[in-house]
Amino acid sequence: MAQRALDPQMLSSFRVTMPNFPNIFFTKFSGIKGTRPVSSFANGYSQTKQKKVGMVTYDNVTLAKPFDPNTDASLLKLLDDYCEGEDGRLMSVTITPVTVCRNIERKGSTTFTLLGCRPVSVKVAETDSDSVDGISMLEIELTVDNVKY
């Protein structure tokens, strides 16, 4: 049987979007990390402990993009107005592997969807008058309840 060559995904080849804002693309994403607590217990008839794995908890994620006051105004308004009890509003984030050659095209069938996201912090309008080549970034930190692979 012939082995298939690996085709690893480049860090720069992901499209990170929020479905409510189809024209806003994030250029940095902290990645998905889920952990499960492990409990050990003795069963009473063995010299070894057994382990049970608990429910998964996802770390907060950070999205970032170059700040554009015109394009990002609607996103900033939503984040500013966000109230968890109001309409039960939760956000989602989609991360899609893509190829970037002549056009941006979806690569494979995998898409990661972060569900039940709530804004924790927003960082915007960082300024450095001495910088001639720096770009002001918009950073958003979100909680994640669940991930759909």
Side-chain angles (χ1 to χ4, degrees), residues 78-94:
L78 173 79
L79 295 169
D80 188 46
D81 293 346
Y82 181 81
C83 178
E84 189 166 329
E86 187 177 309
D87 303 329
R89 284 191 292 181
L90 296 175
M91 300 175 192
S92 65
V93 176
T94 303

Side-chain angles (χ1 to χ4, degrees), residues 7-18 22 24-32 62-66 93-101 103-114 147-149:
D7 186 14
Q9 189 68 21
M10 300 290 295
L11 284 173
S12 61
S13 296
F14 286 91
R15 177 165 273 185
V16 181
T17 59
M18 296 177 84
I24 295 178
F25 302 99
F26 293 91
T27 57
K28 293 188 180 206
F29 174 64
S30 60
I32 302 166
T62 302
L63 308 172
K65 66 176 291 309
V93 176
T94 303
I95 302 98
T96 306
V98 295
T99 57
V100 182
C101 198
N103 297 310
I104 295 177
E105 296 177 4
R106 182 181 176 134
K107 179 179 177 182
S109 60
T110 303
T111 295
F112 305 97
T113 304
L114 310 181
V147 176
K148 186 172 98 177
Y149 295 96

Side-chain angles (χ1 to χ4, degrees), residues 41-143:
F41 66 94
N43 62 15
Y45 57 84
S46 172
Q47 297 263 349
T48 61
K49 285 189 173 183
Q50 294 181 337
K51 296 182 179 176
K52 286 286 186 182
V53 178
M55 296 187 301
V56 67
T57 301
Y58 293 98
D59 289 356
N60 289 356
V61 297
T62 302
L63 308 172
K65 66 176 291 309
F67 175 58
D68 178 337
N70 297 317
T71 305
D72 299 337
S74 60
L75 177 58
L76 288 171
K77 175 148 181 45
L78 173 79
L79 295 169
D80 188 46
D81 293 346
Y82 181 81
C83 178
E84 189 166 329
E86 187 177 309
D87 303 329
R89 284 191 292 181
L90 296 175
M91 300 175 192
S92 65
V93 176
T94 303
I95 302 98
T96 306
V98 295
T99 57
V100 182
C101 198
R102 290 184 184 95
N103 297 310
I104 295 177
E105 296 177 4
R106 182 181 176 134
K107 179 179 177 182
S109 60
T110 303
T111 295
F112 305 97
T113 304
L114 310 181
L115 302 167
C117 299
R118 297 166 184 86
V120 174
S121 67
V122 177
K123 180 180 176 184
V124 68
E126 183 176 0
T127 313
D128 181 357
S129 298
D130 292 332
S131 176
V132 294
D133 60 354
I135 298 290
S136 181
M137 298 292 285
L138 167 63
E139 288 184 11
I140 304 168
E141 181 183 359
L142 301 168
T143 64

